[in-house]
Amino acid sequence: MFLITPNSELTEAEKSKLSLLEKIFRAPTEAFDLYLRNVSLGRKELLRLHYALWVLAPISKIAGNLIKIVLDLVFGNEVDFNPLSGVITSLIIYPVLLLVVSQYDVVRVFYRKVDRTKGENYPAADVLTLAFLAFSASSVFWILPSPINLGLIGISFLYSVYLSYIGMKRVSGVDSKEILIFFLFGSAYLLSISLVFVFIYNIIRTLLN
């Protein structure tokens, strides 16, 4: 997707993903509607869009480091010749956070009891994963110097949280109180799972020592 050239012909899926990325900033409610009604979009295409945005993070960070090196050579006294500084951080922060967000999405779908015999259906999936496209798009900010880049990335995170609220209201029709209860329940659930893994890790470490 990020290798699109001016003369290349876009597929329907690529056009839909570009439209989705545009609407997530300009008209968030329309972005959720587009994702749910467009047959060319799905979880696989949504994740591919996230992956394409993540690639920009290390590229932007390396470009920012090179710009800093050039500026230090011209105007500074000390030069840090390390174009790969911070690249690992810029690369892993996005998949780690999306892993957590995707788990919240799973909890959101199943935390309420649904009676299929009464015609009730599970809520639409991937609402939070879609909302965090805004955070993945913050990968371009790594080209800026610290702490400006970190500040803008933090704002992108808060905007994605806001989009999660908008998406849940739009797709599931829940009120603010229920959304707050969900996030508290989801946080408690994920923390419980984390404590189990920490407990198992400590037991294994103790046995090995």
Side-chain angles (χ1 to χ4, degrees), residues 90-165:
S90 70
L91 185 61
I92 67 173
I93 186 175
Y94 296 99
V96 169
L97 183 61
L98 189 66
L99 177 62
V100 175
V101 170
S102 64
Q103 293 307 303
Y104 271 100
D105 247 340
V106 172
V107 174
R108 181 186 59 83
V109 172
F110 294 106
Y111 92 106
R112 291 182 61 185
K113 185 177 181 181
V114 173
D115 191 346
R116 301 300 295 272
T117 62
K118 296 181 179 179
E120 298 178 354
N121 295 315
Y122 289 107
D126 304 323
V127 172
L128 306 185
T129 305
L130 174 57
F132 269 78
L133 274 178
F135 181 74
S136 290
S138 70
S139 56
V140 298
F141 294 139
W142 285 98
I143 197 172
L144 301 173
S146 298
I148 298 175
N149 55 1
L150 298 180
L152 292 175
I153 291 171
I155 292 174
S156 300
F157 173 81
L158 294 177
Y159 180 61
S160 292
V161 173
Y162 169 73
L163 290 178
S164 300
Y165 169 79

Side-chain angles (χ1 to χ4, degrees), residues 5-205:
T5 61
N7 296 325
S8 63
E9 185 176 350
L10 300 179
T11 65
E12 288 300 319
E14 289 170 340
K15 291 179 181 178
S16 298
K17 286 189 285 186
L18 289 175
S19 178
L20 187 66
L21 188 58
E22 176 189 9
K23 290 182 182 298
I24 205 70
F25 292 100
R26 297 184 59 182
T29 55
E30 294 182 14
F32 291 102
D33 293 340
L34 173 64
Y35 180 72
L36 293 177
R37 72 171 184 264
N38 195 317
V39 295
S40 64
L41 292 173
R43 180 173 179 79
K44 183 183 293 185
E45 294 300 325
L46 180 60
L47 291 178
R48 284 178 178 174
L49 182 53
H50 275 285
Y51 301 155
L53 293 170
W54 295 348
V55 172
L56 297 176
I59 295 175
S60 298
K61 184 58 179 175
I62 292 173
N65 289 339
L66 292 176
I67 293 173
K68 183 178 183 300
I69 290 173
V70 171
L71 293 177
D72 287 343
L73 285 172
V74 176
F75 301 105
N77 295 323
E78 296 183 2
V79 181
D80 182 13
F81 290 97
N82 186 9
L84 300 181
S85 175
V87 170
I88 299 299
T89 300
S90 70
L91 185 61
I92 67 173
I93 186 175
Y94 296 99
V96 169
L97 183 61
L98 189 66
L99 177 62
V100 175
V101 170
S102 64
Q103 293 307 303
Y104 271 100
D105 247 340
V106 172
V107 174
R108 181 186 59 83
V109 172
F110 294 106
Y111 92 106
R112 291 182 61 185
K113 185 177 181 181
V114 173
D115 191 346
R116 301 300 295 272
T117 62
K118 296 181 179 179
E120 298 178 354
N121 295 315
Y122 289 107
D126 304 323
V127 172
L128 306 185
T129 305
L130 174 57
F132 269 78
L133 274 178
F135 181 74
S136 290
S138 70
S139 56
V140 298
F141 294 139
W142 285 98
I143 197 172
L144 301 173
S146 298
I148 298 175
N149 55 1
L150 298 180
L152 292 175
I153 291 171
I155 292 174
S156 300
F157 173 81
L158 294 177
Y159 180 61
S160 292
V161 173
Y162 169 73
L163 290 178
S164 300
Y165 169 79
I166 295 295
M168 290 184 65
K169 291 193 69 173
R170 181 72 172 184
V171 174
S172 303
V174 295
D175 56 22
S176 301
K177 181 180 179 181
E178 190 168 356
I179 292 175
L180 178 60
I181 292 174
F182 156 71
F183 276 111
L184 292 175
F185 176 84
S187 298
Y189 173 76
L190 294 180
L191 285 175
S192 299
I193 293 178
S194 300
L195 289 175
V196 171
F197 280 108
V198 171
F199 179 72
I200 295 174
Y201 168 76
N202 286 331
I203 291 177
I204 295 174
R205 189 179 65 175

